Amino acid sequence: MSQRVGIGYDIHRLEPGDGIVLANCRIPCPYRLVAHSDGDAVLHALCDALLGAVGAGDLGEHFPDTDPLYRGRNSAEFVHLVLALPALEAWRLVNLDVNIIAQAPRLSEHKPGMRRRLMELFDLGPDAVGLKARTNETCDAVGAKQAIQAQAIVLLTHR
Ligand code: MG
């Protein structure tokens, strides 16, 4: 098999705060993401997609949220650790695509910066990084500004 796909999902609760981190970009807003790490749902979903593509478990198995080592951790470090796993050694990332679902904060002005950061983190060109942001049309906990969700998909090809 010369290609693999992987899917990832994450959700973090929002609380009053002074900013969130998504796609490794700091977004100033009156919220924080409740998390053991920095709560970067985009990078967590992408890590799970990468792990899923090669049947290597999920982020929680590799980096348990009970481990004090990962408290407040910059999730870019998870990306580097996942990309360096032996399970991924034989595979090259072709492209990734991300959905962020957030009623708040508004993300439109931050999308170019988030996309640029994903291109850097995953060493991909502009046509290989998709990033969309949408509201949840006020439905459920995301729509009530109580949480943010991220979905990710990746394609890998054998080196
Ligand atoms: Mg997470």
Side-chain angles (χ1 to χ4, degrees), residues 10-12 37 39-41 44 59:
D10 198 20
I11 182 166
H12 282 275
S37 66
D40 192 331
H44 297 174
L59 202 57

Side-chain angles (χ1 to χ4, degrees), residues 27-28 74 136:
I27 295 169
N74 179 339
N136 214 31

Side-chain angles (χ1 to χ4, degrees), residues 14 19 23 26 28-29 45 60 82 94 96-97 110 119 123 128 133 137 153:
L14 284 172
R26 178 119 195 120
C29 60
V82 165
V94 176
L96 63 84
D97 194 14
H110 300 285
M119 288 164 55
D123 194 23
E137 291 289 324
I153 191 165

Side-chain angles (χ1 to χ4, degrees), residues 97-108:
D97 194 14
V98 170
N99 287 333
I100 306 171
I101 306 108
Q103 199 71 38
R106 301 298 295 196
L107 296 174
S108 47

Side-chain angles (χ1 to χ4, degrees), residues 16-17 27 48 72 78 94 116 127 133 151:
I27 295 169
D48 264 2
F78 295 141
V94 176
R116 269 197 305 277
D127 67 343
Q151 303 166 332

Side-chain angles (χ1 to χ4, degrees), residues 24-130:
N24 207 228
C25 292
R26 178 119 195 120
I27 295 169
C29 60
Y31 303 96
R32 66 181 282 268
L33 286 168
V34 181
H36 188 70
S37 66
D38 63 5
D40 192 331
V42 170
L43 294 192
H44 297 174
L46 280 164
C47 284
D48 264 2
L50 286 165
L51 293 168
V54 294
D58 60 36
L59 202 57
E61 291 172 31
H62 289 271
F63 313 108
D65 65 6
T66 49
D67 190 334
L69 185 64
Y70 304 117
R71 186 178 300 280
R73 199 90 182 251
N74 179 339
S75 294
E77 293 176 43
F78 295 141
V79 171
H80 296 310
L81 290 167
V82 165
L83 289 173
L85 286 174
L88 277 155
E89 202 178 326
W91 299 93
R92 182 178 67 79
L93 180 59
V94 176
N95 75 306
L96 63 84
D97 194 14
V98 170
N99 287 333
I100 306 171
I101 306 108
Q103 199 71 38
R106 301 298 295 196
L107 296 174
S108 47
E109 69 187 272
H110 300 285
K111 281 197 292 185
M114 289 194 280
R115 220 171 130 256
R116 269 197 305 277
R117 188 66 189 120
L118 292 179
M119 288 164 55
E120 291 166 2
L121 272 177
F122 293 91
D123 194 23
L124 291 171
D127 67 343
V129 174

